Amino acid sequence: MATTKIPSSTGVSPDAAQDMAGDGMKTVMMPVGVPGYTLRQEPRTMPATQPPVLPINADLKFIGKSPERWDGPAKVSGRARYTADIQLPGMLYAKFVDATVPHAKVISVDTSEAEKVAGVKGVFVIENLLGSAKLLNPSLEVSKYPIVRYAGQPIAAVAATNPQIAEDAAKLVKVKYDVMPFVVDMDQARRADAPMVFPGPANQAGTAGGGGGAADVPQTGNIHGPSVHTRGDIEQGFKDADVVVEEHYTTQVQVHNALESHGVVADWKPDLLTVWASTQGTASVREGLAGFFNLPKSQVRVITEFMGGGFGAKFGPGNPGVVAAALSKQTNAPVRLMLDRKEEQLSVGNRPSSDQTLRIGAKKDGTLTAIHLVSYGTAGCGTGAGCAGPATNMYKYASLRTEESDIFTNAGPATAFRAPGHPQGAFALEQTIDELANRLGMDPLDLRDKIDENSARRVEREIVRNSAIWKSRHATPNVDHGHIKRGVGVGQAVWYRNISMDSAAEVRVHQDGSVEVLSAVQDIGGGLKTVMAQILSEQFGVPPQQVSVKIGDTNYPVGPNSGGSVTTASLTPAVRDAAWNAAQNFLASIAPALGAQPDDLVLANGEVSSKSGKFQPISFRSAAAKMNTSEVSAQARRIPDYDRKAYETYGGVDVAEVEVDMEIGLIRVKRILAVHDCGRPMNPKQTMNQINGGVIQGMSYALYENRLIDSDYGLMVNANLDRYQIAGSREIPQIEVQLIQSYIGQSSTDASGIGEPGGIIGTPAAIANAFYNATGVRIRSLPMTPAVVLAALANTSQQKETA
Amino acid sequence: MSGPKLPHDSSDLPQDSGVAQTAENKLGKGTTGITRRGFLKGAGVTAAGTALLEGARAFGREAAATRGEHPEGVREFGPGPVAVTLQVNGKERVIHIEPRTTLADALRLEMAMTGTKVVCDRGACSACTLLMDDIPINSCMTLAIDAVGHQVTTIEGLTESSEGHSMQAAFLKHDAMQCGFCTPGMVMTCSALLKKNPKPTEDDVRLATAGNLCRCGTYPRIFAATLEAAGVSDSESTHNA
Ligand code: FES
Ligand code: FES
């Protein structure tokens, strides 16, 4: 092995590091840490074939800059074609028939009337339902059709020549139910005499986006769990504590509500099933359909050119995918099945609720001796309500015990939702830490400095400490008099480095000077297409808009499913490696015509030049014309991270300023400061846009959103966008995002993702702590509606009176 | 929250008032007097489709499939397809649609103009915003036949215009989009605002977009982009980067 310095160039010149030891590896220095704070060089060992180390963003031309969104022109002009926009000749429109009751055995499904309607071409009755938890022992339930476990569960579907006919005909399908007792309220479901959602143990697998609950756990009645994790000696931990804080928190169910609903256009041909899908994973849809229909993967093609939001809920074909494919097969025609807004809210996922009792013990100096979390939550007829992530991973502690249980209810199954479990868990943890700081008489940032060694988080707290918003915070709560009280609070986020090795890309250079990059990966709104173009620009020296980015098609090399913030971290190194290799092939291809050695050639500024000055620089395009074949290309696959021992968590520190109207109980969020890290920011403007979005979703979750199900009827009463309240333009606070560069030395791009940690985890807790800072009262229940606020205020004044 | 929303909100009007809620609200005067919702409710739903009773004012001359005269000048159209002539982006388009077809569906399904998005299909998100005679309306809450005799401008048409171009350029500059599904509706709403109010404040932009839902949370960028397109300084805005 050989050790070299970082090349000072933009990484396009051939690497000076050679494989001296002949073991196929090289060791080079890489930037690690935060520029302006902790930046240093650290050695990393990697395959000798890896491209030269990229310097920090300040020394690059395209990567780390913010060129306009590559597919922005298509989006602002309405040209972007989403799944719902696909129209194929002879395409049919399908509509689900949904269960109207929350719990029942389906006795019969009579489709005869629907089939008679002119224009109806096919009817399909579901016998194999996806998404919900599955009984371990299916013989406990004998039924031809899936048991209805929530109102809105799809039962059948009708395909017709236009959507209106499909909708009319769907209403004519007669479903006969044998209605069973149901329970939709989590507290009622926990009672021993509650109706059972499942007659025996049941498990729900997670998706490529996460979610799903523990499988090897006890199940009693509707209580699935607990899943118990321990570290250290918890009893000793509490004995060692000088202070113990114990509090109880509850959070509501949140519904994703991506603007584009779930759905597909499926076109079943004898030798190829082609599916346009609104998905976060073309790979997951292909895998799901191939498995369901027992087709070779090579005969399933999935396309996602544009995708209208997912937030964790869109992996695999789901019921819409398999039903549309089945209808297409049956009718010999392409079939479009997009859910309507009501179905979207009922049947394709949500963020589970939580009921958490959190007990934390600490020494006088703040050192945590013990954390004990007991949590319950309902993921409807699915599992995955665990929320111990923050308690387990945010801080240093001597001992930990977490006990997480799912409570089954007759409601739609949960699925992964942006940072699964973490907004809930952080809402409890970060308020408890705030309370602990209070009891210890410590500044909340100082306490976190004591218990959180993460190097990026330290820098972030330093930035917060010096910010105007933090300096405006009253050191003690409840300082303001009058009916509007102002407060500032902080909440941290934690997330993890997840890498998918199913990440590959191909880069092609054509003789006409055009360059393209191909991968099956999808851009779900984060801006991956732009970032891929930037990587090619950095390599070839041509502007991003001159690069063709072709993704979202399983015909291209495999791409990761976009869940867990894996996409940028996983795919971009493969893109850079492919670009580097293609560039070497390109230079080798043109070198003879230029009378130069390939390693004498430099690609920059849209030109090819000679280091030794053999010839005057020529344009990239005229250099390409000298290629000795019409195309050169290279494919690269993700290689493992360079040094997993050096892993730290990602995250950020969110600060909120609120005004509380003490008379009407209204919380107004005035300002948010969100300070975050995600490795090397590839396109800061896009990254910060995502953080804005996370902050807004977090605020919306904290103050407004709430899935409401009527206990008497088991029906969701706000399955629409007018009564399911989401923060809109007038509620948006002033948001300042500070994105730090935090180099970690792990891959050829050193990039990470931001979708999960950015804003949604820390913001609700920051708002709650700001509320406490304003009023001196803790609010332990979400959403913090005026009713909840007034109740919290009244409760405390009562407590004061009786004390 | 997205509600109460002005001017898109229709929730305060009686649901079956028989008044063109969206058009009424935005145009400031009744257009044809039939709403999709009120109409569907009254007409009921049958497998064969639905007949439409129409106040005969708007599209009597265009409707080909008239089934007969009713007393008091009320004529019945449908339930089968009728020929309807629309003015879309300055061009005349003749389509054959069931009278109950919304303007959004007519554009998307009959004219293959899919820039207009349908999200809630009930007037709660404004993703389907387009201009009818320069007034932004929710095209999911407007029957295609109610657009007869009006100039319809969609995102495709706006893209051809200079004001559309400057708004779109500002959206690009400020990266006022993520997934992009709300973006056509946002662009329509924001450029309609500038037509009415060429020098808006940020609060004006917030009010104008109060009915437009963006689940990706791009609002700060949308405010900045709109102010930029208006040539209003952006000094103390929420914009970052
Ligand atoms: S307002 Fe028309 S789709 Fe939502
Ligand atoms: S950009 Fe995705 S909904 Fe607005």
Side-chain angles (χ1 to χ4, degrees):
Chain A
M1 283 191 275
T3 301
T4 61
K5 293 230 163 60
I6 296 180
S8 56
S9 80
T10 57
V12 290
S13 63
D15 191 4
Q18 297 301 322
D19 171 21
M20 302 294 209
D23 60 356
M25 303 297 280
K26 64 182 176 185
T27 298
V28 293
M29 301 301 284
M30 290 189 76
V32 172
V34 182
Y37 293 89
T38 55
L39 186 66
R40 61 200 179 272
Q41 304 290 328
E42 284 185 4
R44 291 286 191 269
T45 300
M46 62 191 73
T49 49
Q50 278 287 282
V53 168
L54 281 183
I56 64 170
N57 283 350
D59 298 327
L60 293 172
K61 279 216 169 68
F62 294 99
I63 293 175
K65 305 294 181 278
S66 299
E68 280 175 5
R69 194 170 285 255
W70 189 84
D71 55 359
K75 285 179 176 174
V76 297
S77 64
R79 257 193 298 119
R81 273 210 319 173
Y82 296 79
T83 300
D85 302 330
I86 300 295
Q87 284 176 346
L88 302 175
M91 186 176 83
L92 304 176
Y93 297 82
K95 181 86 184 84
F96 270 140
V97 177
D98 300 311
T100 53
V101 295
H103 200 189
K105 180 171 171 172
V106 173
I107 305 299
S108 65
V109 183
D110 177 1
T111 61
S112 55
E113 287 299 309
E115 280 163 35
K116 281 185 213 145
V117 176
V120 168
K121 301 291 179 192
V123 181
F124 180 83
V125 182
I126 295 174
E127 292 189 9
N128 192 346
L129 186 80
L130 302 178
S132 308
K134 294 264 174 293
L135 260 183
L136 293 191
N137 176 4
S139 68
L140 293 175
E141 277 175 342
V142 181
S143 172
K144 175 165 189 218
Y145 305 106
I147 298 290
V148 171
R149 285 186 229 278
Y150 62 96
Q153 179 175 310
I155 290 179
V158 178
T161 48
N162 79 37
Q164 295 163 331
I165 295 174
E167 201 174 324
D168 291 345
K171 292 195 175 113
L172 298 174
V173 173
K174 291 190 199 74
V175 182
K176 218 165 132 195
Y177 301 105
D178 187 355
V179 172
M180 300 197 254
F182 65 88
V183 60
V184 294
D185 179 84
M186 185 175 91
D187 292 330
Q188 284 170 19
R190 283 158 78 174
R191 293 197 197 131
D193 60 349
M196 301 261 282
V197 177
F198 291 93
N203 288 328
Q204 182 195 23
T207 65
D216 305 324
V217 294
Q219 188 171 318
T220 320
N222 291 316
I223 304 177
H224 179 90
S227 164
V228 180
H229 294 278
T230 55
R231 288 184 197 174
D233 182 344
I234 188 89
E235 278 172 28
Q236 189 59 43
F238 280 113
K239 271 188 209 140
D240 293 344
D242 297 320
V243 189
V244 174
V245 184
E246 176 173 338
E247 295 299 348
H248 178 245
Y249 301 88
T250 59
T251 64
Q252 79 284 32
V253 172
Q254 182 186 24
V255 185
H256 299 69
N257 268 314
L259 286 204
E260 185 184 33
S261 63
H262 285 63
V264 304
V265 174
D267 189 10
W268 188 297
K269 294 267 163 52
D271 48 1
L272 186 68
L273 168 61
T274 306
V275 174
W276 286 260
S278 180
T279 183
Q280 294 174 241
T282 55
S284 71
V285 175
R286 176 160 75 165
E287 183 154 332
L289 288 170
F292 193 91
F293 293 103
N294 204 13
L295 293 168
K297 273 185 172 182
S298 55
Q299 287 181 22
V300 182
R301 178 184 180 195
V302 179
I303 302 170
T304 305
E305 206 188 333
F306 287 91
M307 198 278 210
F311 311 112
K314 287 181 177 169
F315 294 97
N319 295 307
V322 297
V323 169
L327 278 166
S328 176
K329 185 179 181 190
Q330 185 193 109
T331 58
N332 261 320
V335 171
R336 177 167 109 185
L337 203 176
M338 299 300 296
L339 297 192
D340 67 25
R341 185 51 43 183
K342 185 175 177 189
E343 292 168 330
E344 184 68 19
Q345 304 221 19
L346 294 175
S347 63
V348 284
N350 51 68
R351 180 188 301 287
S353 67
S354 78
D355 173 308
Q356 308 173 59
T357 305
L358 181 62
R359 193 164 173 237
I360 296 185
K363 293 284 212 192
K364 282 203 190 73
D365 68 356
T367 316
L368 303 184
T369 59
I371 299 181
H372 185 197
L373 172 70
V374 178
S375 79
Y376 298 88
T378 184
C381 60
T383 62
C387 54
T392 307
N393 301 307
M394 188 99 78
Y395 299 119
K396 250 190 339 178
Y397 44 77
S399 65
L400 168 87
R401 181 177 172 86
T402 60
E403 304 165 41
E404 304 163 284
S405 297
D406 279 290
I407 312 292
F408 287 121
T409 54
N410 289 108
T415 186
F417 191 161
R418 207 168 193 169
H422 283 61
Q424 303 94 296
F427 178 67
L429 177 69
E430 289 298 88
Q431 283 209 73
T432 312
I433 293 294
D434 200 64
E435 184 59 32
L436 186 61
N438 222 18
R439 299 260 189 103
L440 295 170
M442 284 176 85
D443 174 88
L445 296 175
D446 293 347
L447 172 60
R448 286 175 173 85
D449 276 344
K450 181 91 200 168
I451 58 179
D452 178 9
E453 286 178 325
N454 182 289
S455 56
R457 234 47 37 75
R458 268 181 198 285
V459 171
E460 287 154 0
R461 282 191 298 272
E462 201 48 42
I463 292 170
V464 166
R465 210 175 255 117
N466 294 319
S467 67
I469 181 172
W470 189 257
K471 285 182 179 158
S472 76
R473 175 180 179 270
H474 304 303
T476 52
N478 196 20
V479 168
D480 291 339
H481 301 288
H483 85 279
I484 303 278
K485 296 190 178 196
R486 199 189 142 275
V488 173
V490 63
Q492 286 199 173
V494 65
W495 197 251
Y496 322 102
R497 183 164 176 85
N498 300 310
I499 300 298
S500 166
M501 299 304 286
D502 279 330
S503 301
E506 179 173 330
V507 171
R508 297 177 184 161
V509 185
H510 299 279
Q511 221 166 18
D512 64 357
S514 58
V515 187
E516 60 185 334
V517 53
L518 304 91
S519 172
V521 71
Q522 54 293 316
D523 184 344
I524 63 174
L528 184 71
K529 288 177 194 162
T530 319
V531 169
M532 292 171 75
Q534 288 173 255
I535 294 170
L536 265 68
S537 291
E538 195 72 49
Q539 184 67 59
F540 292 98
V542 299
Q545 289 299 341
Q546 273 181 36
V547 174
S548 291
V549 181
K550 294 183 177 150
I551 64 171
D553 186 337
T554 53
N555 273 0
Y556 304 141
V558 68
N561 297 308
S562 295
S565 290
V566 306
T567 315
T568 306
S570 302
L571 187 84
T572 56
V575 173
R576 178 159 184 250
D577 296 359
W580 165 256
N581 293 335
Q584 304 319 300
N585 295 344
F586 170 69
L587 295 178
S589 173
I590 59 172
L594 291 168
Q597 289 302 310
D599 61 6
D600 183 45
L601 301 177
V602 177
L603 274 168
N605 305 321
E607 291 178 335
V608 177
S609 56
S610 157
K611 272 186 245 172
S612 62
K614 266 217 168 70
F615 57 89
Q616 285 300 308
I618 57 170
S619 72
F620 182 78
R621 180 191 275 257
S622 38
K626 300 185 190 301
M627 278 163 52
N628 58 13
T629 51
S630 71
E631 173 187 310
V632 295
S633 66
Q635 237 195 58
R637 220 170 51 81
R638 184 67 157 85
I639 66 161
D641 273 352
Y642 299 152
D643 183 5
R644 297 176 53 103
K645 292 191 302 300
Y647 271 14
E648 282 195 312
T649 58
Y650 307 135
V653 183
D654 298 318
V655 183
E657 178 192 12
V658 303
E659 280 177 5
V660 183
D661 185 320
M662 302 294 280
E663 278 170 20
I664 60 170
L666 191 71
I667 299 176
R668 284 192 192 85
V669 181
K670 304 299 286 182
R671 273 194 291 177
I672 298 276
L673 168 65
V675 190
H676 282 265
D677 60 279
C678 62
R680 176 197 300 275
M682 298 296 281
N683 180 317
K685 193 187 273 187
Q686 288 185 164
T687 308
M688 290 157 101
N689 200 348
Q690 270 197 78
I691 299 172
N692 277 338
V695 164
I696 291 168
Q697 250 177 27
M699 182 191 86
S700 186
Y701 170 66
L703 299 183
Y704 311 117
E705 297 184 38
N706 198 359
R707 184 193 70 183
L708 297 169
I709 300 187
D710 183 308
S711 295
D712 292 333
Y713 295 94
L715 306 177
M716 180 173 171
V717 298
N718 56 347
N720 51 56
L721 290 174
D722 31 308
R723 294 292 172 258
Y724 182 91
Q725 297 188 323
I726 297 175
S729 62
R730 284 176 299 175
E731 287 79 38
I732 306 306
Q734 295 279 323
I735 303 172
E736 183 191 343
V737 177
Q738 295 237 12
L739 179 61
I740 64 167
Q741 297 172 39
S742 170
Y743 297 94
I744 54 176
Q746 290 294 354
S747 73
S748 65
T749 59
D750 215 16
S752 299
I754 194 67
E756 319 260 357
I760 201 166
I761 300 174
T763 302
I767 293 171
N769 286 334
F771 178 86
Y772 175 78
N773 185 246
T775 64
V777 176
R778 284 276 163 211
I779 194 151
R780 298 197 175 89
S781 178
L782 291 182
M784 303 176 220
T785 59
V788 169
V789 168
L790 290 176
L793 294 174
N795 204 354
T796 311
S797 50
Q798 259 173 27
Q799 276 174 9
K800 273 187 197 136
E801 279 157 27
T802 53
Chain B
M1 281 153 287
S2 47
K5 299 175 278 296
L6 293 171
H8 297 288
D9 191 19
S10 58
S11 58
D12 295 330
L13 291 169
Q15 300 271 301
D16 54 352
S17 62
V19 174
Q21 293 166 6
T22 315
E24 172 85 20
N25 220 357
K26 292 186 171 180
L27 294 170
K29 62 181 174 63
T31 48
T32 65
I34 297 276
T35 64
R36 172 189 179 212
R37 197 177 282 172
F39 151 67
L40 286 175
K41 184 172 171 148
V45 180
T46 68
T50 342
L52 175 70
L53 290 174
E54 166 60 61
R57 187 147 53 95
F59 76 125
R61 52 186 193 283
E62 284 87 0
T66 307
R67 291 213 311 191
E69 295 289 330
H70 285 250
E72 295 129 36
V74 175
R75 295 161 71 202
E76 187 181 326
F77 302 106
V82 296
V84 173
T85 306
L86 297 177
Q87 304 292 328
V88 181
N89 300 328
K91 291 198 193 81
E92 195 168 280
R93 305 283 301 249
V94 182
I95 52 173
H96 292 80
I97 50 169
E98 287 186 33
R100 59 175 166 165
T101 306
T102 63
L103 181 54
D105 278 351
L107 289 163
R108 292 178 47 80
L109 304 178
E110 303 299 325
M111 302 181 221
M113 297 173 73
T114 54
T116 302
K117 301 295 181 233
V118 174
V119 168
C120 68
D121 209 14
R122 58 184 273 169
C125 75
S126 296
C128 61
T129 302
L130 48 71
L131 306 184
M132 205 148 105
D133 300 335
D134 283 350
I135 309 289
I137 61 153
N138 289 340
S139 60
C140 74
M141 295 293 286
T142 308
L143 290 175
I145 57 168
D146 275 342
V148 170
H150 296 282
Q151 292 296 330
V152 172
T153 308
T154 68
I155 185 73
E156 290 88 353
L158 191 81
T159 301
E160 305 296 309
S161 69
S162 64
E163 65 272 25
H165 195 260
S166 61
M167 183 61 71
Q168 288 165 337
F171 265 61
L172 287 172
K173 176 170 170 194
H174 291 271
D175 196 34
M177 75 207 82
Q178 288 178 47
C179 77
F181 212 74
C182 72
T183 309
M186 287 285 187
V187 170
M188 295 307 292
T189 298
C190 294
S191 44
L193 167 70
L194 296 199
K195 271 199 177 143
K196 211 172 74 181
N197 178 0
K199 295 285 166 221
T201 62
E202 186 182 298
D203 277 347
D204 294 334
V205 184
R206 286 174 181 259
L207 193 64
T209 53
N212 288 74
L213 178 64
C214 173
R215 190 48 159 162
C216 297
T218 59
Y219 298 101
R221 305 300 184 82
I222 289 164
F223 305 154
T226 307
L227 295 179
E228 161 115 18
V232 178
S233 128
D234 178 21
S235 53
E236 52 93 60
S237 93
T238 49
H239 182 46
N240 46 58

